[in-house]
């Protein structure tokens, strides 16, 4: 196992009917900005419950954070925060709203050019303060509710922003707030959480038994829960398990002391930025083809995944790996998430644009080995096409 530090300060407030507790969770006397997206939280009554929970505090609202949150939109919130001297941010929504709120928390007190905050990759930008933030999560997928990361769309690309100052102080996870999700978003969420685990687990062995067994447990839970929660959107237990799986997949716990990949995410981000493909869908396209080309580097972990997650023990090693890749693809498809680039109306020439974007964004040495270059990315995308 590799050396690691682990500290996750986010207080999780899990369960039904807990929005009334906002009054004790948010500091007394705080001037609060509630941030949300295109209106689902209004339509389904979540916003009213949040506002009631905030009691007699001064509360402002900022709406219109779009999926794949845009820098320009978020800068309007930054201006509002500065003008009104807001001192607490509450995100109510999915990953896009939570991520957007993290950007606002970092940018509002930042004295330099706020676009510079997006130029540090996975390393923290040089900031020593951020506004306190918290979340009410309405979409189980990204894990943003319990991690320090955000992904912000800027000038045609998607850029990470990571800082320990951006952990939510608390996150309310009420599975019943997700009952209103359209099936496509539920399916996207299952795929996103699944691939978050894979990016931290299907690398190379370092003897991290707790991380491996926990990763396998989350994957098996998602395989069981996915179809149930799609078929029965108001099955509380299934939705509760999906929500906690998604949070557990990317709150750092399974990622300590092990190598990380993230190449499926980096290529997927370009598919979203260029063609508007949803985040979860982009991962379903890239992941199976990624593995076809990375069998040699990932051989031991792919065999472990085949045996422990899909119970594949028969046949020679290559046959077991191929079967595990096909089971993964079939799982995504069974949720209704298509796994071919051509399924999303993209022309084959679009692959050139993806390669150009990867190059422009410096994504030329991906994977846990740092050896996945543009030529291999092209082969992966060609393979993913049809
Ligand atoms: O905008 P509204 O009207 O709220 O509608 C949203 C949106 O259209 C809707 N929705 C959310 N909760 C709902 C609901 N509709 C009905 N009922 C509810 N309870 O769902 C749509 C999609 O929302 P979005 O927040 O965009 O989805 P998701 O949670 O999948 O977030 C995706 C974003 O997270 C980033 C992605 O890149 C993408 O920008 N990621 C963030 C990560 C992180 N912070 O750690 C890691 C991930 O890998 C990912 O990159
Ligand atoms: Zn993701």
């Amino acid at each position: 196992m590799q050396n690691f530090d682990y500290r996750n300060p986010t207080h999780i407030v899990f369960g039904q009917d807990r929005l009334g507790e906002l009054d004790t969770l948010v500091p007394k006397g705080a001037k609060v900005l509630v941030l949300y997206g295109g209106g689902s939280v209004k339509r389904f009554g979540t916003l009213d419950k949040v506002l009631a929970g905030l009691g007699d505090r001064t509360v402002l609202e900022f709406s219109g954070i779009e999926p794949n949150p845009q820098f320009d939109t978020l800068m309007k919130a930054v201006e509002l925060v500065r003008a009104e001297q807001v001192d607490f941010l509450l995100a109510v929504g999915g990953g896009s709203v939570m991520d957007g709120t993290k950007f606002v928390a970092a940018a509002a007190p930042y004295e330099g050019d706020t676009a510079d905050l997006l130029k540090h990759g996975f390393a923290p930008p040089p900031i020593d303060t951020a506004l306190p933030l918290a979340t009410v999560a309405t979409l189980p997928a990204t894990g943003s509710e319990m991690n320090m990361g955000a992904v912000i769309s800027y000038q045609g690309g998607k850029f990470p922003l990571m800082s320990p100052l951006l952990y939510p102080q608390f996150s309310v996870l009420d599975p019943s707030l997700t009952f209103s999700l359209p099936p496509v978003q539920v399916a996207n969420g299952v795929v996103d959480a699944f691939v978050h685990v894979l990016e931290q687990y299907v690398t190379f062995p370092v003897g991290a038994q707790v991380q491996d067994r926990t990763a396998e447990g989350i994957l098996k839970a998602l395989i069981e829960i996915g179809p149930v929660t799609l078929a029965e959107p108001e099955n509380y237990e299934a939705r509760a398990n999906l929500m906690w799986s998604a949070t557990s997949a990317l709150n750092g716990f399974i990622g300590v002391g092990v190598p990380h990949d993230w190449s499926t995410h980096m290529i997927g981000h370009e598919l979203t930025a260029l063609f508007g493909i949803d985040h979860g869908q982009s991962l379903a396209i890239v992941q199976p083809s990624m593995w076809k080309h990375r069998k040699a580097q990932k051989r031991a972990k792919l065999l472990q995944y085949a045996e422990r997650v899909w119970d594949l023990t028969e046949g020679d090693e290559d046959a077991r790996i191929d079967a595990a890749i096909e089971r993964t693809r079939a799982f995504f498809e069974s949720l209704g998430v298509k796994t071919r680039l051509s399924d999303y109306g993209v022309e084959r020439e679009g692959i050139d644009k993806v390669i150009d974007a990867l190059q422009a964004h410096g994504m030329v040495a991906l994977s846990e080995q740092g050896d996945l270059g543009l030529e291999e990315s092209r082969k992966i995308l060609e393979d993913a096409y049809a």
Side-chain angles (χ1 to χ4, degrees), residues 98-99 102 143-144 146-151 160-163 166-167:
M98 295 189 273
D99 285 8
K102 289 177 178 176
S144 187
M146 199 179 177
N147 68 40
M148 61 168 176
V151 183
L161 168 62
M162 317 270 291
S163 167
L166 299 178
Y167 280 103

Side-chain angles (χ1 to χ4, degrees), residues 33-37 60-65 73-74 76-78 80:
L33 179 65
V34 175
L35 302 98
Y36 54 95
L60 304 171
E61 293 177 31
F62 183 85
S63 65
I65 298 180
T73 305
L74 301 170
K76 293 185 186 135
V78 168
L80 180 65

Side-chain angles (χ1 to χ4, degrees), residues 191 194-195 198 223 281-293 305 310 312 321-344 379-386:
V191 173
F194 201 85
V195 177
L198 300 177
I223 291 164
Q281 296 168 338
S282 76
L283 305 175
I285 294 166
V286 178
Q287 184 70 82
S289 305
M290 172 70 67
W291 280 346
K292 273 196 180 173
H293 290 267
Y305 168 70
W310 294 108
L312 295 163
I321 290 173
D322 289 343
I325 296 172
E326 281 320 306
R327 293 288 279 273
T328 308
R329 182 191 295 284
F331 174 55
F332 296 160
E333 294 269 353
S334 76
L335 302 169
V337 184
K338 299 279 183 210
T339 58
R340 302 288 185 185
L341 191 48
S342 53
D343 292 327
Y344 294 87
K379 287 188 190 137
I380 290 165
L381 285 160
E382 275 165 5
D383 195 80
Y385 190 79

Side-chain angles (χ1 to χ4, degrees), residues 266-278:
M266 294 305 112
I267 298 174
H269 282 171
E270 305 298 359
L271 297 179
T272 299
L274 286 166
F275 311 120
I277 295 171
D278 289 351

Side-chain angles (χ1 to χ4, degrees), residues 78-368:
V78 168
E79 282 160 28
L80 180 65
V81 166
R82 288 174 177 167
E84 295 289 339
Q85 300 189 319
V86 166
D87 43 32
F88 195 90
L89 304 178
L90 183 61
V92 186
S96 295
V97 172
M98 295 189 273
D99 285 8
T101 300
K102 289 177 178 176
F103 175 80
V104 175
Y110 188 66
E111 287 173 2
D113 179 353
T114 51
D116 289 348
L117 294 169
L118 305 177
K119 295 181 180 158
H120 299 271
F122 289 113
I127 54 172
D128 51 19
T129 183
L131 280 182
L133 73 116
T135 85
V136 174
T138 65
L139 200 172
T142 64
S144 187
E145 62 276 5
M146 199 179 177
N147 68 40
M148 61 168 176
V151 183
I152 306 300
S153 298
Y154 175 65
Q155 293 187 341
K158 291 188 64 147
F159 298 90
L161 168 62
M162 317 270 291
S163 167
L165 296 166
L166 299 178
Y167 280 103
Q169 294 206 338
F170 66 84
S171 283
V172 178
L173 307 188
D174 178 344
S176 67
L177 299 180
T178 75
F179 289 171
S180 56
L181 279 165
V184 62
Q185 296 299 348
V186 177
N188 283 346
V190 175
V191 173
D192 193 19
F194 201 85
V195 177
H196 289 160
V197 177
L198 300 177
E199 299 267 32
Q200 302 165 90
Y201 163 69
V202 183
T203 56
F204 54 85
V206 292
Q209 296 189 28
V210 174
Q211 295 89 322
D212 278 7
R213 295 282 184 189
T214 308
E216 290 150 4
I218 297 169
L219 294 172
K220 289 195 117 164
L222 287 166
I223 291 164
E224 281 174 26
I225 297 158
V228 176
T229 199
L230 274 170
E232 304 167 26
E234 302 204 6
N235 175 334
Y236 180 85
E237 284 307 327
R239 210 40 79 84
N241 279 293
L242 172 59
M243 206 158 200
W244 191 233
S245 297
T247 304
S248 304
L250 200 53
N251 65 1
F253 185 71
I254 63 165
V256 295
V258 299
H260 287 208
D261 183 347
W262 300 113
S263 41
T264 295
H265 268 72
M266 294 305 112
I267 298 174
H269 282 171
E270 305 298 359
L271 297 179
T272 299
L274 286 166
F275 311 120
I277 295 171
D278 289 351
H279 176 64
Q281 296 168 338
S282 76
L283 305 175
I285 294 166
V286 178
Q287 184 70 82
S289 305
M290 172 70 67
W291 280 346
K292 273 196 180 173
H293 290 267
R294 305 293 294 174
K295 278 186 211 169
Q297 296 88 340
K298 293 179 180 291
R299 193 170 185 83
K301 286 309 262 309
L302 279 170
L303 282 166
Q304 184 179 322
Y305 168 70
E307 180 178 343
R308 294 195 192 166
V309 177
W310 294 108
D311 305 313
L312 295 163
T313 51
E314 308 283 317
D316 67 25
E317 291 188 356
D318 286 306
R320 277 181 266 152
I321 290 173
D322 289 343
I325 296 172
E326 281 320 306
R327 293 288 279 273
T328 308
R329 182 191 295 284
F331 174 55
F332 296 160
E333 294 269 353
S334 76
L335 302 169
V337 184
K338 299 279 183 210
T339 58
R340 302 288 185 185
L341 191 48
S342 53
D343 292 327
Y344 294 87
V346 176
E347 303 289 327
R348 197 175 267 279
E349 293 69 48
I351 292 172
D352 294 333
K353 292 188 191 159
V354 183
I355 298 302
D356 290 348
L358 286 168
Q359 182 152 36
H361 298 139
M363 298 294 158
V364 296
L366 298 172
S367 93
E368 68 275 9

